[in-house]
Structure formats: C-alpha cells, structure tokens
Amino acid sequence: MTVEKFDPKQTTTLDAPKTVLKEAAASTQTGNAQSRIGFVSLGCPKNLVDSERILTQLRTEGYDVVPTYNDADLVIVNTCGFIDAAVQESLDTIGEALKENGKVIVTGCLGIKEDEIREVHPNVLAITGPHAYEEVVNQVHDHLPKPGHNPFEHLIPDHGVKLTPRHYAYLKISEGCNHRCTFCIIPSMRGDLVSRPIGEILDEAKRLKNAGVNELLVISQDTSAYGIDVKHRTGFWDGMPVKTHLLQLCQKLGEMGMWVRLHYVYPYPHVDDLIPLMNEGKILPYLDIPFQHANKRILKLMKRPGSAERTLDRIKKWREQCPQLIIRSTFIVGFPGETEAEFEELLDFIREAELDRVGCFAYSPVEGAVANDLPDPVDEKVKQQRLERFMAVQSEISAARLKARVGQEYQIVIDSVDAEGAVGRCYADAPEVDGVVHLNGVYDVKPGQRVWAEVIHTNEHDMWAVMSEEQDEEPAEESDTE
C-alpha cells in the first residue's frame, strides 16, 4: 500500500512497518473470505507500537492482514498529526485508501481532529484517537464480523504481532506527557503521563528476547519521566522489589543480554545516573535527547529546560565518564521571534557540542500549538535558509566525527543483505533514524546476526567496513557495545 500524492520530506513515518506487514501477510493468510484487513501504520515508533497492539488483537481473533487495498475487506489507517507534513501524509493516505477500497477506519493522533478529517473525507467508517486499541477492534467488529473459525487462537506468539524485523523491537514504557512545550500538541492527543507497571515492561522484554529480539529501543513521549506519575512506587518482578524508575528499569533490562537503546530522553538531572551504566556496557552508550535550541530566551518561549552553557557542561561530563557515548538530538529553527543572533548562538552551540547525530525541523505552526500565538513569526524563506545553514554545519561535524572512526573495530548487527552486500549498524546507529554500516561483498550473514568489522571509509552519514579476521563464536548473543 503506497500513498500516491504525498511527497515525503519531514515526517516521522518509518519504513519497517510497511515491509514487515507485506512479508507477514504473504506468509500468514488463511483464506478467510470475509475477514481480510489492510493496515497502514504512519508516524513514529510510539504509533508503531499502537499498531502492533491493534494487529495482535485482530490476528488473535482470526482476521487476515493483507498487503493490498484490493484484497482487503476493510482498511485501517493509523495516522500521525505531529507536524503539518505528517497531517498531509495522513490525509492523503486516508484518501488513497478510500479511493482504492472504500471502507476505511481511521485511528491515531490525527484522529482527535475528527471534524478536520471528515471535512476532507466524510465517508470514513469510524475515527478514534491514539492508543484506542479496544475501540478500533470494536469498530472492526461493527463492519467486518469475526471469523467463524479462528485458526490463530493458540498460534499468536506471546510477544504479539511486531512491525519490526525479528531482531529488534520498540519497548514503550509509558503513554502521554506532563510537559507543555509550546510547539507541541502531543499532550492534547495522548494525554498526561501514564507509566506502565515495571513488572509488565520487564515481562514484555523477556518475551521479546525469547522470541529472538536482541535489541530493545526504549520509547515513550518522555522516557526520563518514567514513574513520576506514580511517585516511583515499588513494583515486583521475578519476586523481587523494583522501583518504577528509569534507572532501575535500565539496570534490569541491562541484565537480559540485549542491546538497550534509549530514545526521547528529556534532560532531567537523573539522566546523569544512566551514564555509568553505559560505561559499564549494561546499556548502549547512546542518548537520544531533543535539546530543541540553545538560546535561553527561545528555550523559555518553548517551555524547555536548560541553557547552552549548562548543557555543554553536562555533555562534557558525560563524555568524560563514558568516552564512547553517542548523543543524538533534534532542534527547531525559525521558532517565532528567533533572531539572527539567537540562531547564530544555536550554530555556535552545535559546533562546540559536536553532537554525533542531529535532526532539525523548521518551525511548523501546527494547529493548537501555543507557539502559534507568539509575536514576530519568522518568514518561511528565512526558516528554510536557517535550516539549510544548520544542516550544513552539522554535516561537517558529523563527517568529522565519523571519519575519526576509521581504523576502529565495531560489533555490527546485520539488518539486511542486498545485491551489494550486507547493511548493518553499530551501537551508534538506531534503525531508520541514524546512518548505517555497509559491508560490501559480504553475503553469508543473516539479519540479526552480529559480526565484528573494521571501518575503512565514512561520509557525513554512513560508514563502510570490512569483516575482521577474528569473530566471536556466537556473535548474535553478544551484548558488548564495542
């Protein structure tokens, strides 16, 4: 299933769900003539996990998931509404599904704007907001009866349906967010913070490991805030008390022998406590922290914490404690009121911080964002110019940091094998958002396998490497980061 109109530029939609859905559909169809569902999952990893939960329930009930509109009796579109480009992608996808199939259920973040969706697409069958798993399944029941025979009742794996390759998975630890960043409308879509019980999370992690997963990507809207809503109460797992706190969660996940990668980490002070775990190899030395800006006035307008000086001091201390640490971040340029001098301050910050991986967005006035009402909006041309200038500076930084890796050996997890050879990632690379490692001419490896390789060439995004002469006997089971 593809979108005809949308020209993707800056959205959060991942490629993995489309690929995995197509492969899964080809291998699991049962021939149920009146129970075939097409599914399109748009948006970020948090949305992907919502899609996995919906699909798990539908597959448990015996519905087939099919890869084309024509084969489906009904199509579900899980939408994103974070920025304007994502909204347009969602609306175009709904339109395509209606055109090609006619029976469409809409869910996800854009679903909270039902009037906006129905103004463009009045014929959708039903609309719900994010993480409305039961409602979506009930809507399917209303329009597509349950299969009379359920061959999957005892065959769905206990880790559920996954929309990622077998060797990695997203582990969502909470829903919602307590922050009120002025550029963001996520709290209005997903509500306030609700942390999952720690025992439930660890049980899921164990099931994923038993299913062959060897890399966990820990996600939420605000990963650092895990447990704040329940005052870090003590839970239990394997008969032992464990606090509902990110540090204790990471300690337990780090004992499972998988790569553990942290995303969407808000820079609270207790993030400092995670660095020793990374240096000890318990979790990957990788932090995804959206700093958003460096100028104190702009950060205050954004309702974000910190200042450039304090952030630089923390980054310096983190790297002193854990020299192999990789820092990924995102920034917004052209925020309302941003002056040229404040933008230059941001450029000075990224030059000094030398972050490894960086994404940048030009401010997008999403409907409902408080920042839309701030004075002195930045001209669209100026926004784009600043975006290009920002990325030019960061490209030089990224190229230099990657070039310093030439001659070093890293453990590489294989993601795919194509005509040119294997493509994988080292500990520094999250799937789909960071660069990759090319092993040209290497074909006798499989996705999920880990091998050691020496870096021989880099550019501003990716690395090229050759297999090391000595390999671990069981590379896929190793959990070292370097």
Side-chain angles (χ1 to χ4, degrees):
M1 298 182 185
T2 59
V3 181
E4 292 178 347
K5 297 179 182 178
F6 184 71
D7 180 22
K9 291 182 179 179
Q10 289 182 320
T11 74
T12 57
T13 296
L14 304 172
D15 290 331
K18 181 172 62 176
T19 302
V20 174
L21 277 169
K22 185 176 181 180
E23 293 174 350
S27 63
T28 58
Q29 290 180 41
T30 64
N32 285 321
Q34 298 297 322
S35 58
R36 299 167 301 186
I37 292 175
F39 202 103
V40 182
S41 183
L42 305 175
C44 67
K46 295 177 285 293
N47 229 34
L48 179 149
V49 173
D50 292 347
S51 296
E52 291 176 337
R53 291 179 180 176
I54 295 168
L55 283 168
T56 295
Q57 183 59 39
L58 292 174
R59 293 286 289 144
T60 300
E61 294 182 1
Y63 290 94
D64 272 348
V65 178
V66 294
T68 66
Y69 292 121
N70 290 338
D71 293 332
D73 299 301
L74 179 151
V75 177
I76 299 173
V77 180
N78 192 4
T79 60
C80 178
F82 182 54
I83 56 176
D84 287 348
V87 170
Q88 191 59 52
E89 180 184 30
S90 295
L91 290 173
D92 283 354
T93 302
I94 295 167
E96 182 179 274
L98 284 168
K99 174 185 174 184
E100 298 294 334
N101 183 276
K103 298 179 69 175
V104 178
I105 288 175
V106 176
T107 188
C109 289
L110 188 60
I112 67 164
K113 300 180 180 180
E114 181 170 354
D115 291 344
E116 181 177 331
I117 294 173
R118 290 200 180 278
E119 182 177 350
V120 181
H121 302 300
N123 296 325
V124 295
L125 297 176
I127 300 173
T128 58
H131 52 85
Y133 320 122
E134 293 183 4
E135 291 179 69
V136 175
V137 173
N138 288 336
Q139 290 167 356
V140 172
H141 295 163
D142 291 340
H143 299 281
L144 197 62
K146 287 185 181 181
H149 170 60
N150 180 1
F152 294 109
E153 186 173 1
H154 302 294
L155 296 180
I156 297 297
D158 59 6
H159 63 276
V161 174
K162 308 306 293 183
L163 295 181
T164 51
R166 182 173 181 264
H167 58 284
Y168 71 81
Y170 293 99
L171 183 67
K172 188 194 284 190
I173 64 174
S174 66
E175 288 286 1
C177 182
N178 288 343
H179 296 291
R180 295 297 182 265
C181 301
T182 58
F183 55 82
C184 182
I185 59 173
I186 292 298
S188 67
M189 294 177 171
R190 292 183 172 266
D192 290 335
L193 175 72
V194 179
S195 298
R196 292 178 63 191
I198 192 164
E200 180 182 304
I201 296 171
L202 293 170
D203 281 341
E204 181 180 352
K206 188 174 181 179
R207 290 194 298 269
L208 290 169
K209 177 178 172 60
N210 291 339
V213 169
N214 58 29
E215 179 179 1
L216 291 176
L217 298 102
V218 178
I219 61 169
S220 64
Q221 205 59 49
D222 177 5
T223 298
S224 307
Y226 176 67
I228 287 178
D229 56 315
V230 294
K231 299 181 179 179
H232 301 304
R233 68 184 174 207
T234 299
F236 288 87
W237 187 65
D238 274 359
M240 298 295 291
V242 188
K243 278 191 174 182
T244 309
H245 191 284
L246 183 60
L247 178 61
Q248 281 74 21
L249 175 62
C250 287
Q251 287 171 334
K252 289 298 181 182
L253 292 175
E255 295 171 1
M256 294 188 181
M258 292 182 282
W259 280 6
V260 177
R261 190 184 300 277
L262 301 182
H263 286 277
Y264 316 120
V265 178
Y266 201 85
Y268 293 120
H270 68 256
V271 171
D272 297 353
D273 299 330
L274 300 172
I275 306 303
L277 288 181
M278 296 179 178
N279 192 51
E280 295 165 9
K282 301 293 180 59
I283 62 177
L284 291 182
Y286 180 102
L287 272 179
D288 175 5
I289 300 185
F291 292 122
Q292 305 297 8
H293 212 279
N295 175 264
K296 193 169 186 177
R297 189 184 76 89
I298 295 297
L299 287 168
K300 187 175 182 179
L301 290 175
M302 290 178 169
K303 288 195 175 180
R304 296 287 295 184
S307 65
E309 184 177 349
R310 291 208 307 271
T311 300
L312 289 170
D313 286 343
R314 292 185 76 187
I315 291 172
K316 181 180 178 182
K317 291 178 181 177
W318 292 342
R319 285 173 170 162
E320 288 173 351
Q321 294 179 58
C322 183
Q324 69 270 36
L325 177 66
I326 296 296
I327 302 176
R328 146 170 275 282
S329 191
T330 52
F331 294 88
I332 297 173
V333 298
F335 192 78
E338 181 191 58
T339 65
E340 179 64 21
E342 289 166 338
F343 173 68
E344 288 288 350
E345 184 179 339
L346 175 57
L347 293 183
D348 290 340
F349 170 82
I350 64 171
R351 289 187 184 102
E352 189 167 352
E354 293 186 318
L355 303 177
D356 300 274
R357 302 291 193 185
V358 170
C360 186
F361 291 85
Y363 175 73
S364 176
V366 180
E367 182 181 351
V370 175
N372 297 343
D373 298 325
L374 292 173
D376 304 318
V378 178
D379 182 80
E380 289 298 325
K381 289 184 179 179
V382 174
K383 286 183 190 178
Q384 292 304 315
Q385 289 170 356
R386 288 179 182 174
L387 176 62
E388 292 170 8
R389 288 164 60 193
F390 180 99
M391 293 312 300
V393 172
Q394 181 57 40
S395 292
E396 293 180 2
I397 295 168
S398 298
R401 291 192 70 80
L402 285 175
K403 188 175 182 180
R405 296 177 177 272
V406 172
Q408 299 185 41
E409 283 190 337
Y410 296 95
Q411 194 175 53
I412 310 299
V413 60
I414 304 300
D415 282 335
S416 62
V417 181
D418 57 26
E420 294 185 356
V423 180
R425 298 172 289 109
C426 73
Y427 81 94
D429 311 311
E432 296 206 48
V433 296
D434 294 328
V436 297
V437 181
H438 299 275
L439 294 167
N440 291 348
V442 176
Y443 301 99
D444 57 344
V445 290
K446 298 179 180 179
Q449 183 178 348
R450 295 189 194 164
V451 300
W452 286 92
E454 178 183 340
V455 178
I456 58 171
H457 176 69
T458 62
N459 61 19
E460 66 269 28
H461 300 295
D462 300 333
M463 300 192 296
W464 283 257
V466 294
M467 295 274 282
S468 302
E469 292 184 6
E470 295 186 10
Q471 297 288 332
D472 294 329
E473 292 183 4
E474 296 180 337
E477 297 298 322
E478 292 291 326
S479 60
D480 295 336
T481 59
E482 287 196 343

